[in-house]
C-alpha cells in the first residue's frame, strides 16, 4: 500500500512515541489564526498562544469524538521526563462540528517550549457513544495509549506541528510579561 512517500506521522515519530499505527478514518483540521496545521509545520509560540479552531469530519452527528493535544518532548526532546505533557482535552465533540461544541475537560495551555524543538500532537478519537471520559489530575506524564485503552477510544486522526522558543537570532523579544529565563 503506497501512499506516495512515507507517512509523516511515522517520519516524525508520532507513531511510536505517542500512538501505535492506526487507520485514519475522519478528517481533522486544526487552524491557528487562519493558518492550517500540516504535519511537521513550524509554528512560533506567539502563533499558537490562543486555542485553535478544530473542525471534525464524520457523517453522523450522533458519533462523538475526543481530542487531545500532547507534547511528547517535554521538557526537553533529549530528556523528555514529562512525556507526554497534556495541553488540551476536549470530549463529546459531535461529528461534523468542531472542538468548540465539545466538553473541555482540560483547558488549552499554550505551548511554551524552553529547550529544543518540540512536537505538539493533536489526536482525535472516536468514542463508543456519549461516555464519561475522566480528566487526569495533572498534565505531565499523560499517556495517550493508556488513555485510549482506559476509555475504549479509537484513534481516527492525528496531526502535529513543531514549535521552539522564540528569540535568539532575529525575532522580537517577547514583552515584559515573559521573564527571560
Amino acid at each position: 500500500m503506497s501512499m506516495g512517500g512515507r507517512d509523516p506521522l511515522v517520519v516524525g515519530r508520532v507513531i511510536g512515541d505517542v500512538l501505535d499505527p492506526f487507520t485514519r478514518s475522519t478528517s481533522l483540521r486544526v487552524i491557528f489564526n487562519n493558518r492550517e496545521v500540516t504535519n511537521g509545520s513550524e509554528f512560533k509560540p506567539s502563533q499558537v498562544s490562543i486555542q485553535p479552531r478544530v473542525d471534525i469530519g464524520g457523517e453522523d452527528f450522533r458519533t462523538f469524538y475526543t481530542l487531545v493535544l500532547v507534547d511528547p518532548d517535554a521538557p526537553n526532546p533529549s530528556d523528555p521526563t514529562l512525556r507526554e505533557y497534556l495541553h488540551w482535552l476536549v470530549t463529546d465533540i459531535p461529528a461534523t462540528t468542531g472542538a468548540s461544541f465539545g466538553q473541555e475537560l482540560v483547558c488549552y495551555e499554550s505551548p511554551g517550549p524552553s529547550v529544543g524543538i518540540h512536537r505538539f500532537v493533536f489526536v482525535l478519537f472516536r468514542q463508543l457513544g456519549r461516555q464519561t471520559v475522566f480528566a487526569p489530575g495533572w498534565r505531565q506524564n499523560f499517556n495517550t495509549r493508556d488513555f485510549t485503552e482506559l476509555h475504549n477510544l479509537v484513534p481516527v486522526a492525528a496531526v502535529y506541528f513543531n514549535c521552539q522558543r522564540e528569540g535568539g537570532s532575529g525575532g522580537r523579544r517577547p514583552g515584559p510579561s515573559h521573564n527571560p529565563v
Side-chain angles (χ1 to χ4, degrees):
M1 153 181 148
S2 157
M3 289 173 50
R6 298 201 39 217
D7 180 348
L9 294 177
V10 173
V11 176
R13 298 193 325 278
V14 168
I15 303 291
D17 287 350
V18 177
L19 291 164
D20 295 323
F22 69 96
T23 304
R24 293 172 194 55
S25 58
T26 305
S27 67
L28 169 66
R29 294 183 67 210
V30 179
I31 297 141
F32 284 103
N33 197 16
N34 296 327
R35 185 178 162 207
E36 185 164 355
V37 173
T38 54
N39 284 313
S41 51
E42 304 270 344
F43 281 80
K44 297 186 172 83
S46 59
Q47 296 175 304
V48 294
S49 59
I50 293 165
Q51 73 183 49
R53 200 178 95 220
V54 177
D55 296 331
I56 289 162
E59 278 74 63
D60 187 343
F61 60 85
R62 290 168 301 191
T63 307
F64 292 93
Y65 295 91
T66 291
L67 177 78
V68 300
L69 171 59
V70 296
D71 173 1
D73 298 314
N76 178 342
S78 57
D79 186 21
T81 53
L82 301 181
R83 170 183 295 178
E84 303 154 29
Y85 190 90
L86 178 65
H87 278 265
W88 202 20
L89 170 57
V90 186
T91 185
D92 281 337
I93 307 165
T96 74
T97 67
S100 54
F101 290 89
Q103 185 74 35
E104 191 177 59
L105 295 187
V106 175
C107 67
Y108 180 78
E109 182 179 312
S110 58
S114 52
V115 179
I117 298 173
H118 291 225
R119 293 162 294 164
F120 289 87
V121 185
F122 291 90
V123 185
L124 185 69
F125 302 96
R126 192 176 67 244
Q127 299 174 194
L128 290 177
R130 270 193 181 265
Q131 66 191 82
T132 307
V133 172
F134 297 102
W138 48 85
R139 293 176 185 263
Q140 66 270 25
N141 301 126
F142 180 80
N143 186 306
T144 298
R145 287 185 179 91
D146 290 352
F147 179 78
T148 307
E149 218 164 283
L150 178 66
H151 296 295
N152 291 311
L153 299 168
V154 180
V156 292
V159 66
Y160 81 99
F161 66 91
N162 292 319
C163 186
Q164 62 183 310
R165 182 179 173 163
E166 290 177 68
S169 57
R172 298 208 325 266
R173 297 292 306 162
S177 60
H178 299 311
N179 294 326
V181 181

